[in-house]
């Protein structure tokens, strides 16, 4: 049997983060070595609680390490997107783990040690602010050379942002952290709004899936109505974009998206703060890849099949 790819999931659960974690757990090419948490869709404490709860409920036998509760510049945050994810980050289900506890080490130390343990193999799927990665990069130059790749859900290159006209939430939430990551030298694939907005999970799709995949289906029926409702209110569409699960899908099968090679940077000042900029490299030698297209029906089919296979 082919060796699985060791993966750390860096996350701020978050409704779509939760959906991505249960999908990741169902991916046969990937092995979850740890979950690291960051503030974002809710406070760090709440996101860590939610990650522990999800790992316990779905028997994900990987340690959970808490990371940053403020930006890399030390700015705390206390206004969270409660209208999108609920006051608890998970549609107000008030999840509480019964026995799982977070690891003692901070997320950055765990990232550094894991990259050393799985040198040139470790893939970090980052679906929240990049603050934990920025801390690890600052703390260890070896982390940069040991990490194989970061697959990042974040940014908007050729489409409008979802926080400002220019900026996507995960980048806008800590642009200096994104800047540190982009400049670090770690190979990076950006799975941004350019592709995530092209894969829409409609209510009918979710309802069908929820009826076929056991307790994962029960979770979907608990958390997705709130998310659907927020999208309906904001966009008029009875469906939501497949953000964080698109990064997981890329890790499992990169061919599901079309890519271009080049160099990414982030605007730090002015009204475009948080904007991601991509300079295409015609020689194909750039360190960064940008997902520019996606086989959306295939991604939706894969998500459906994997969840039914694993939890149904
Ligand atoms: O812009 C989408 C991203 O913002 C996702 O990671 C979602 O969970 C939110 O944090
Ligand atoms: Ca997220």
């Amino acid at each position: 049997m082919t060796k699985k790819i060791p993966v750390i999931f860096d996350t701020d659960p978050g409704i779509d983060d939760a959906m991505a974690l249960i999908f990741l757990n169902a991916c046969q090419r990937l092995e979850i070595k740890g979950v690291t948490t960051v503030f974002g869709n809710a406070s760090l404490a709440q996101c860590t609680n939610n990650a522990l709860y999800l790992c316990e409920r779905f028997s994900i036998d990987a340690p959970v390490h808490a990371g940053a509760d403020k930006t890399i510049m030390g700015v705390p945050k206390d206004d969270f997107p409660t209208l999108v994810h609920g006051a608890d980050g998970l549609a107000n289900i008030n999840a509480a783990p019964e026995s799982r506890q977070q690891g003692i080490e901070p997320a950055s130390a765990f990232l550094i040690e894991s990259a050393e343990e799985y040198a040139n193999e470790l893939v970090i799927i980052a679906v929240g602010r990049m603050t934990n990665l920025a801390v690890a990069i600052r703390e260890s130059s070896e982390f940069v050379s040991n990490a194989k790749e970061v697959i990042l859900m974040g940014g908007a290159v050729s489409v409008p942002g979802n926080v400002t006209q220019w900026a996507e939430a995960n980048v806008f939430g800590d642009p200096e952290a994104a800047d540190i990551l982009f400049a670090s030298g770690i190979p990076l694939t950006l799975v941004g709004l350019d592709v995530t907005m092209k894969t829409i999970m409609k209510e009918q799709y979710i309802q069908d899936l929820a009826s076929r995949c056991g307790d994962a289906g029960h979770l979907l029926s608990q958390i997705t109505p709130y998310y659907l409702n927020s999208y309906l209110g904001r966009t008029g569409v009875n469906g939501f974009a497949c953000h964080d699960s698109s990064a997981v899908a890329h890790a499992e099968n990169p061919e599901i998206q079309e890519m271009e090679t080049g160099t990414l940077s982030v605007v730090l000042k002015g009204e475009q703060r948080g904007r991601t900029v991509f300079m295409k490299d015609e020689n194909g030698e750039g360190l960064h890849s940008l997902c520019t297209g996606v086989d959306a029906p295939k991604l939706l089919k894969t998500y459906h099949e994997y969840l039914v296979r694993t939890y149904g």
Side-chain angles (χ1 to χ4, degrees):
M1 186 166 148
T2 333
K3 201 174 161 208
K4 291 187 177 187
I5 301 167
V7 163
I8 289 179
F9 189 60
D10 190 51
T11 179
D12 60 337
I15 292 172
D16 63 320
D17 301 70
M19 293 180 69
L21 180 57
I22 60 173
F23 179 41
L24 173 57
N25 188 44
C27 287
Q28 292 182 331
R29 291 187 62 227
L30 310 174
E31 184 165 0
I32 308 173
K33 295 295 184 184
V35 176
T36 49
T37 56
V38 63
F39 76 98
N41 288 324
S43 69
L44 174 70
Q46 185 66 58
C47 289
T48 306
N49 171 87
N50 295 348
L52 289 165
Y53 171 81
L54 292 164
C55 287
E56 183 174 89
R57 179 164 168 180
F58 294 99
S59 304
I60 298 172
D61 188 21
V64 175
H65 291 266
D69 64 354
K70 48 179 87 72
T71 70
I72 194 75
M73 304 295 278
V75 181
K77 189 175 174 195
D78 52 16
D79 57 320
F80 300 107
T82 54
L83 293 177
V84 182
H85 294 273
D88 68 348
L90 277 185
N92 300 325
I93 65 170
N94 291 313
E98 284 177 11
S99 60
R100 284 291 303 266
Q101 297 199 334
Q102 70 188 62
I104 294 166
E105 283 178 311
S108 56
F110 180 72
L111 283 162
I112 292 166
E113 281 171 21
S114 301
E116 187 178 354
E117 184 174 354
Y118 304 103
N120 302 315
E121 288 182 74
L122 184 72
V123 170
I124 298 141
I125 302 176
V127 295
R129 279 95 177 117
M130 284 129 269
T131 322
N132 293 337
L133 287 162
V135 174
I137 290 163
R138 279 193 169 169
E139 285 177 353
S140 166
S141 56
E142 285 173 0
F143 174 68
V144 171
S145 49
N146 285 335
K148 184 178 181 210
E149 183 185 13
V150 171
I151 299 173
L152 172 66
M153 190 283 124
V157 171
S158 60
V159 296
N162 58 3
V163 180
T164 71
Q165 180 192 345
W166 304 101
E168 180 278 335
N170 288 341
V171 176
F172 187 78
D174 196 348
E176 282 76 17
D179 185 47
I180 290 169
L181 173 64
F182 292 174
S184 69
I186 299 179
L188 175 82
T189 297
L190 195 80
V191 185
L193 300 184
D194 307 72
V195 287
T196 66
M197 297 296 290
K198 290 178 180 154
T199 308
I200 303 298
M201 292 179 161
K202 297 204 172 132
E203 183 180 28
Q204 187 61 47
Y205 168 89
I206 292 291
Q207 283 178 351
D208 178 71
L209 177 57
S211 68
R212 293 168 197 261
C213 61
D215 192 39
H218 185 218
L219 177 76
L220 293 179
S221 64
Q222 287 178 294
I223 63 176
T224 57
Y226 194 95
Y227 204 42
L228 280 165
N229 208 34
S230 83
Y231 266 79
L232 190 60
R234 284 177 295 131
T235 67
V237 176
N238 194 17
F240 50 79
C242 180
H243 292 309
D244 293 350
S245 292
S246 291
V248 174
H250 183 90
E252 175 76 354
N253 175 19
E255 290 177 6
I256 206 155
Q257 285 125 348
E258 292 152 31
M259 294 195 281
E260 290 182 357
T261 307
T263 304
L264 281 158
S265 59
V266 57
V267 176
L268 296 177
K269 294 197 185 325
E271 66 158 333
Q272 295 186 16
R273 179 170 162 80
R275 179 182 181 184
T276 41
V277 177
F278 181 72
M279 298 288 289
K280 190 175 170 182
D281 170 17
E282 301 298 341
N283 299 325
E285 291 170 0
L287 203 55
H288 300 154
S289 296
L290 172 70
C291 292
T292 54
V294 57
D295 186 341
K298 186 171 179 185
L299 200 160
L300 291 171
K301 189 162 176 277
T302 302
Y303 188 91
H304 193 291
E305 277 178 8
Y306 280 28
L307 260 61
V308 173
R309 178 183 72 195
T310 305
Y311 306 103

